[in-house]
Amino acid sequence: MKRKLSILLCGTLAAGMLTACGGKKEMTGSETNAKSTGEEETVTIWHDGDEAIMGVIEDTVNKKIADENVSIKFEKKTGLTDQLKLYGNDQANGPDMYLYAHDSLGMLAEMGILAPVTDFISADDEADLLPMTVEAGTYKDTQYVLPLYYESLLFIYNKDLWKGAIPKTTDDLLSYMKENTDVDAGTYAVVNQHSTAYNVAPVINGFDGYIIDKDAKPGLDDANTIKAVEYNKKFAELMGEGDYDTCNTLFTEQKAQAIIGGPWLVSGIKDAGINYGICSLADFTLPNGKSLAPYSGVQGVGILKYAEENKKDAITSVLKALCSTETGVALAKESNCAPANQEAYKDEEVAANEMIMAMKTTAESAEPMPNIPQMSVMWGPAESMLAAVNKSGEDVEASAEKYQEEAEAAIADMQ
């Protein structure tokens, strides 16, 4: 689940200024007209996601802000980042807002087309949001994205095949795998995409290693990254091929007792009739005493700068409704999404959802996927290193040095 980034330039635009005495906001012509005529003001949001989820958000928000004479309308755009590159400065043809994965933020912010969320709402309005999700929407110390929901890797197991309790440590998990895996027979205790950087990130991050840091420095040759890759190799040896389709097939055909994967696997697992259970990866403790720390992908909304000039009051109303507990609960109940709003998890039905609560637990240790543009060129070197170690048996340190140089060259080429 890699989402690619690019390069940009952040900028803000002041709009809706208050007069010194009266405190009245200066309104643009379109805003004045809408208010004077009593017409409903529509905020258009482009997206590239699940139409059903957008429908839930649209219905919930529109009910919440109906008395304010404001509404939202979602429009699906294939290749959303390309569309925003074309229309991000086009007030006539572009959207007011967009909803997309947070890891595209760096590219869009560097283009200078976004207005900070903090131009519209305060820290008090966001007080109920999970800190990890707010961090995901922040680039160069400025928050440009309001988080709505998120996802992360999970430990999904077959209740009819798994023997005993789920281990609490990764060392005990490794012991269980050794006892319950027969590679020659094609049966496995646990399967994972062991040479995919996103799927190995929980170990790398948990060992205090890193693929790339916030300053765009690759970390493939970092001592902790090397330790993590060496540790991951022990598990890879007991997981077979390790590609997405093979892992998924082994689990759904009940040849694997457990799989490490995301919520996107659950519908297929249900269709296969598997009696499954879900644990948070944060429930597993590494030898260093820290939890596994997967990447998290956060879906949220950003605001176009020209929309701030023309629809600031309307967008403020929309943002407050989007980050509300009601929207979070609706996302969880109707779309099975893990909401950014922490208060939503107090709802009785939400609290009973095993998958959502596992992701809530994971959010305490998860790291937002890097949203800097340079991350886009890191997946290749990182996965080449993992494949060299896990599939070709190459030395970890030698591979780290080789692919660190490749990563540094790729980043230099972006300048």
Side-chain angles (χ1 to χ4, degrees):
M1 177 196 117
K2 303 177 291 198
R3 301 182 170 81
K4 302 204 170 181
L5 325 163
S6 317
I7 300 192
L8 345 73
L9 173 93
C10 61
T12 59
L13 212 80
M17 299 178 62
L18 301 179
T19 60
C21 300
K24 294 182 180 178
K25 175 178 174 292
E26 293 178 359
M27 295 181 289
T28 63
S30 61
E31 195 170 15
T32 303
N33 182 62
K35 294 193 174 186
S36 63
T37 61
E39 294 177 1
E40 184 175 80
E41 190 163 20
T42 302
V43 174
T44 302
I45 307 175
W46 282 3
H47 75 98
D48 191 17
D50 188 309
E51 295 275 24
I53 294 176
M54 302 307 130
V56 169
I57 298 171
E58 187 173 296
D59 290 345
T60 305
V61 169
N62 283 340
K63 288 176 184 176
K64 191 167 178 62
I65 61 177
D67 292 343
E68 299 177 50
N69 218 25
V70 176
S71 67
I72 62 170
K73 179 183 178 182
F74 280 100
E75 293 182 7
K76 184 158 188 173
K77 298 289 181 179
T78 302
L80 183 56
T81 54
D82 290 335
Q83 294 290 324
L84 290 172
K85 288 177 187 177
L86 289 172
Y87 299 107
N89 285 310
D90 186 342
Q91 181 173 336
N93 299 298
D96 300 310
M97 301 168 67
Y98 75 94
L99 192 157
Y100 201 52
H102 83 276
D103 58 1
S104 64
L105 174 56
M107 175 192 66
L108 298 174
E110 292 289 356
M111 288 172 59
I113 63 175
L114 302 180
V117 170
T118 49
D119 283 0
F120 301 83
I121 58 177
S122 69
D124 288 342
D125 293 317
E126 298 190 271
D128 292 334
L129 300 182
L130 287 161
M132 179 275 294
T133 65
V134 176
E135 179 186 350
T138 302
Y139 179 74
K140 292 185 177 179
D141 299 322
T142 299
Q143 185 189 352
Y144 291 104
V145 169
L146 179 77
L148 299 183
Y149 59 99
Y150 62 95
E151 61 190 14
S152 66
L153 291 173
L154 301 161
F155 186 86
I156 308 172
Y157 63 100
N158 187 320
K159 291 182 177 180
D160 295 333
L161 297 180
W162 194 269
K163 302 171 185 176
I166 303 296
K168 296 296 184 183
T169 70
T170 54
D171 278 351
D172 286 344
L173 179 63
L174 183 62
S175 296
Y176 182 94
M177 290 170 64
K178 289 177 180 178
E179 295 172 2
N180 293 277
T181 296
D182 187 339
V183 176
D184 294 334
T187 57
Y188 302 87
V190 181
V191 289
N192 182 30
Q193 292 170 250
H194 55 65
S195 297
T196 298
Y198 183 83
N199 286 57
V200 183
V203 181
I204 294 174
N205 295 336
F207 267 88
D208 293 323
Y210 60 99
I211 293 174
I212 191 170
D213 69 11
K214 62 182 178 61
D215 298 316
K217 180 183 181 298
L220 301 184
D221 66 349
D222 178 81
N224 290 324
T225 303
I226 290 172
K227 288 178 185 176
V229 173
E230 287 177 335
Y231 188 65
N232 178 69
K233 184 179 180 180
K234 298 177 182 179
F235 292 82
E237 291 169 349
L238 298 166
M239 289 180 170
E241 195 64 29
D243 64 274
Y244 176 88
D245 288 336
T246 300
C247 289
N248 198 28
T249 299
L250 285 170
F251 186 72
T252 55
E253 292 185 354
Q254 304 199 55
K255 294 179 181 177
Q257 297 178 26
I259 184 170
I260 295 174
W264 50 88
L265 295 179
V266 171
S267 62
I269 292 170
K270 287 181 177 178
D271 290 344
I274 305 294
N275 178 24
Y276 70 95
I278 295 177
C279 296
S280 168
L281 289 185
D283 291 338
F284 295 91
T285 303
L286 289 161
N288 63 0
K290 295 190 174 184
S291 298
L292 289 173
Y295 277 147
S296 180
V298 178
Q299 297 281 334
V301 292
I303 310 105
L304 280 299
K305 286 173 71 172
Y306 54 71
E308 179 176 14
E309 300 173 12
N310 297 303
K311 297 183 179 181
K312 187 168 186 178
D313 284 351
I315 289 172
T316 298
S317 296
V318 169
L319 291 175
K320 289 183 177 182
L322 284 169
C323 67
S324 68
T325 301
E326 293 95 323
T327 300
V329 169
L331 280 166
K333 287 184 176 181
E334 299 181 44
S335 297
N336 213 27
C337 296
N341 186 295
Q342 299 182 76
E343 292 297 304
Y345 296 89
K346 295 179 181 179
D347 179 270
E348 188 173 323
E349 187 177 335
V350 176
N353 186 312
E354 186 178 38
M355 184 185 78
I356 286 177
M357 295 309 295
M359 282 195 283
K360 169 65 164 55
T361 299
T362 305
E364 302 301 322
S365 66
E367 296 187 12
M369 197 152 40
N371 62 21
I372 58 174
Q374 294 83 354
M375 185 64 185
S376 64
V377 299
M378 280 305 302
W379 298 112
E383 296 190 351
S384 293
M385 173 186 171
L386 291 169
V389 171
N390 296 330
K391 297 182 178 182
S392 300
E394 295 183 18
D395 178 74
V396 178
E397 290 192 18
S399 295
E401 182 179 350
K402 175 182 177 181
Y403 292 107
Q404 175 78 5
E405 291 177 359
E406 183 179 304
E408 290 172 348
I411 290 173
D413 288 343
M414 295 178 70
Q415 307 306 318

